[in-house]
Amino acid sequence: MLAHVHTPTSLDDALSHLRDRPPGTVRVLAGGTEVMPAVNAGTEPATELLSLRRVGLAHVSRSEHEVTVGATTPLADLASDPRLSFLAPALGAVAAPPVRTLATIGGNLFAAPPYGDLAACLLALDARAHVAGPAGVRVVAVEEVIDHGVAEAEILTRFDFRAPAEGTWFFHKAARRRLNSAAVVTVTAHLHRAPDAPDHVASARIALNGVAERPWRARAAERALAGRALTPEAVLEASAAVLSHVVPRTDAYASGWYRARVLPTHMRRALLGA
Ligand SMILES: Cc1cc2nc3c(=O)[nH]c(=O)nc-3n(C[C@H](O)[C@H](O)[C@H](O)COP(=O)(O)OP(=O)(O)OC[C@H]3O[C@@H](n4cnc5c(N)ncnc54)[C@H](O)[C@@H]3O)c2cc1C
């Protein structure tokens, strides 16, 4: 039963609160779109919530190429930020506006599958995650946080990544409904073109959501595209490479069979637009 909600006003206070409590006692609260339904349903085991709302982790900065996004920045704020316009299609594909007003980009890394569209974007962007804890700040690949979470006494504070150059960023989400539905398949990719052959892929970072048990970097697809022209045949081979490395998940939105069937189509739509 929930007994306390704490609203520290600095990261240090938030961290010391986590450090001082017995394991399992405190749940970190960001936007609350996952946590509060569990609290209201009586299934949240922690007896205290530690709100990050006033800790100062909601911010965006961008130099010409480098972007920093604070972990508690709401999705709606990111969607309206012209410096992050390449992310607008992804942000517009998550839930409905009231959820986007609350949900944070950091919380998306911990969201229950098949949620995690922003996490997939951060994977394809090769984002670094800053995680603050009792021993200081560790900077790790975002994949590390997606795969292993953070320790109970730690707080994810921000992401850093390079903004993709014009024409190198791709996002496509297939869902049961056009709006406000979780992913059947989300494909997100950052493709680098060969300078002397712009129709060739020099290297690729591709991440999928909805397919595997978590937002997942499709390294086999990246290898299949590297050094090749971006043709329907190459994309089909990249899809086949994905399916040789993962058995797609089955859930309420789609069966694994269906996801496997439609993956090549959505990879093609993501990368070739048709
Ligand atoms: C109706 C609905 C529709 C949705 N549709 C989509 C969709 O289409 N696509 C999609 O990707 N997602 C979707 N989501 C999921 C949504 O994006 C996530 O719920 C949201 O991003 C989680 O962020 P939050 O700030 O609300 O997290 P919270 O609910 O506050 O926290 C979630 C978990 O993350 C932990 N956590 C959060 N922030 C931190 C931090 N900084 N450090 C350490 N731990 C932290 C919390 O302790 C908790 O365990 C949907 C959600 C709802 C409710």
Side-chain angles (χ1 to χ4, degrees):
M1 167 88 79
L2 188 63
H4 299 285
V5 179
H6 303 276
T7 52
T9 52
S10 74
L11 181 61
D12 283 347
D13 284 351
L15 289 169
S16 61
H17 189 89
L18 288 179
R19 195 185 49 225
D20 293 344
R21 293 296 187 277
T25 318
V26 187
R27 171 76 61 200
V28 167
L29 177 75
T33 58
E34 290 237 326
V35 171
M36 291 316 296
V39 169
N40 292 336
T43 55
E44 171 54 59
T47 53
E48 300 181 21
L49 297 180
L50 180 80
S51 170
L52 300 180
R53 185 174 289 269
R54 298 190 186 151
V55 168
L57 299 177
H59 54 82
V60 176
S61 65
R62 176 172 176 170
S63 63
E64 190 183 352
H65 299 299
E66 293 296 325
V67 178
T68 293
V69 176
T72 66
T73 313
L75 302 189
D77 290 10
L78 298 172
S80 62
D81 193 321
R83 296 168 297 177
L84 302 177
S85 56
F86 64 95
L87 279 179
L91 292 157
V94 170
V99 172
R100 282 180 231 150
T101 305
L102 291 171
T104 66
I105 187 164
N108 198 251
L109 263 55
F110 306 97
Y115 293 152
D117 296 320
L118 266 302
C121 291
L122 291 167
L123 269 178
L125 287 165
D126 198 13
R128 295 167 301 282
H130 292 235
V131 180
V137 176
R138 57 190 178 99
V139 183
V140 294
V142 80
E143 191 170 16
E144 165 76 21
V145 179
I146 291 170
D147 288 354
H148 304 295
V150 299
E152 255 193 76
E154 289 183 322
I155 292 172
L156 173 64
T157 60
R158 71 174 216 235
F159 305 103
D160 298 331
F161 53 87
R162 271 182 89 75
E166 188 77 26
T168 66
W169 178 250
F170 301 80
F171 176 86
H172 171 75
K173 176 175 172 178
R176 297 278 295 241
R177 295 187 304 263
R178 197 170 67 82
L179 297 172
N180 197 7
S181 179
V184 171
V185 175
T186 295
V187 182
T188 179
H190 190 189
L191 303 186
H192 296 274
R193 315 284 184 157
D196 48 348
D199 59 335
H200 275 63
V201 177
S203 65
R205 276 187 73 98
I206 299 176
L208 305 176
N209 185 41
V211 177
E213 285 310 312
R214 287 186 287 273
W216 182 70
R217 188 166 157 210
R219 288 184 170 80
E222 296 171 358
R223 284 193 295 272
L225 288 181
R228 300 185 59 184
L230 194 57
T231 61
E233 295 71 31
V235 173
L236 195 60
E237 283 177 39
S239 305
V242 169
L243 294 172
S244 67
H245 280 76
V246 73
V247 178
R249 55 179 280 116
T250 291
D251 56 33
Y253 295 91
S255 67
W257 177 88
Y258 180 75
R259 284 188 161 104
R261 273 297 275 242
V262 299
L263 180 74
T265 302
H266 296 303
M267 290 273 287
R268 198 186 67 232
R269 288 184 184 160
L271 301 176
L272 298 171

